[in-house]
Amino acid sequence: MKAVAIILAAGEARRMAHPKALIEHEGGKSFLQSLASTFGKAGAMVLGVVGKDSEAVREQHPGLDLVEAERWQEGPLLSVKAGLDAALESGADVVLLHPVDMPALRASTLKSLLKMAGDSDELLRPEFEGAPGWPLVLSRSAAERLRAAEGPQLEPALATMKVRRVPVKDPGVVVNINTPETYERLFGMQPRLAPPPKRRGKRGAGQATSNVADLGSSSAPMAAASEE
């Protein structure tokens, strides 16, 4: 079974000082690189979907496969379709959709979700303490159905699909780090860019580190959907 993870990073980060894909997560890694590592550990091929600030994202992540969403400004579903086109053309049996501003999920959670993936039109969606989360896990047939959906918005398209909610113990599936306030609460500093790839190394005292307790607390934002 070939699993392809589509990391959605095409949108404009209006509330953050930097493009979300480039913000430091932990160990000197950007949000995008951290997610690529997590999905890779779960056995998935990774595709990043870029749009706004695509040149900067490509320069920062020379080893990642990145797909251009030329119509990203028209709505998130257009970015999703750009990723689905590339994933299905690569022969994906299962597709995972995930926003770039949710970098704290665990590889073990992804492995569990992939074991449940089948070939039906049903979409799998993790939930934490009753809150719907990400990634969305789609069979090839479900991915093709989503790719055929009309309109610019993702949520109306998802509302037409069969969804099976899967309870998980991973708070990372519901936490969006999409505002400076959330970032500062979790990492104790203002959002900042990850260092260039050649300067990345082991986590130091001045680098951002995830606080798992904070991620699971009620003060952390939980989102049924995320803007890119």
Side-chain angles (χ1 to χ4, degrees):
M1 178 182 71
K2 182 176 183 178
V4 178
I6 299 172
I7 302 176
L8 304 170
E12 183 176 9
R14 292 184 295 272
R15 289 176 288 182
M16 300 290 262
H18 312 289
K20 293 178 186 175
L22 304 181
I23 294 174
E24 184 177 358
H25 179 223
E26 61 180 4
K29 294 180 180 179
S30 67
F31 278 16
L32 179 55
Q33 190 186 38
S34 185
L35 279 169
S37 176
T38 300
F39 278 100
K41 290 176 182 177
M45 170 186 169
V46 176
L47 290 173
V49 179
V50 296
K52 174 70 173 176
D53 302 303
S54 62
E55 290 186 8
V57 176
R58 288 181 183 279
E59 182 177 354
Q60 182 79 353
H61 305 90
L64 290 184
D65 289 328
L66 300 176
V67 178
E68 194 85 18
E70 297 180 356
R71 300 171 61 190
W72 67 268
Q73 292 176 298
E74 298 179 32
L77 183 56
L78 280 300
S79 297
V80 169
K81 287 184 176 182
L84 289 175
D85 285 344
L88 293 175
E89 288 174 8
S90 74
D93 300 302
V94 177
V95 174
L96 304 95
L97 295 177
H98 194 78
V100 76
D101 57 8
M102 301 180 71
L105 79 166
R106 304 167 185 162
S108 58
T109 301
L110 299 175
K111 291 178 181 178
S112 296
L113 291 171
L114 285 171
K115 287 181 181 179
M116 299 179 190
D119 57 1
S120 71
D121 287 336
E122 191 175 57
L123 178 155
L124 299 184
R125 186 164 205 174
E127 64 174 40
F128 178 76
E129 296 184 349
W134 295 78
L136 308 181
V137 183
L138 301 92
S139 66
R140 185 176 182 88
S141 60
E144 289 174 342
R145 181 176 176 184
L146 182 58
R147 182 170 62 167
E150 298 181 355
Q153 301 302 321
L154 178 59
E155 288 301 323
L158 295 177
T160 67
M161 303 184 70
K162 299 176 183 178
V163 179
R164 175 157 65 103
R165 299 269 283 267
V166 180
V168 299
K169 296 181 180 180
D170 181 0
V173 304
V174 296
V175 176
N176 287 352
I177 309 175
N178 61 358
T179 67
E181 294 76 18
T182 301
Y183 188 96
E184 185 171 10
R185 182 166 65 249
L186 296 176
F187 301 123
M189 65 182 75
Q190 286 293 308
R192 68 183 188 183
L193 292 172
K198 64 181 179 180
R199 290 172 50 196
R200 289 179 183 140
K202 295 183 179 179
R203 183 187 305 165
Q207 292 178 314
T209 58
S210 296
N211 187 320
V212 176
D214 285 345
L215 288 174
S217 71
S218 59
S219 63
M222 295 187 179
S226 171
E227 66 180 45
E228 293 171 27

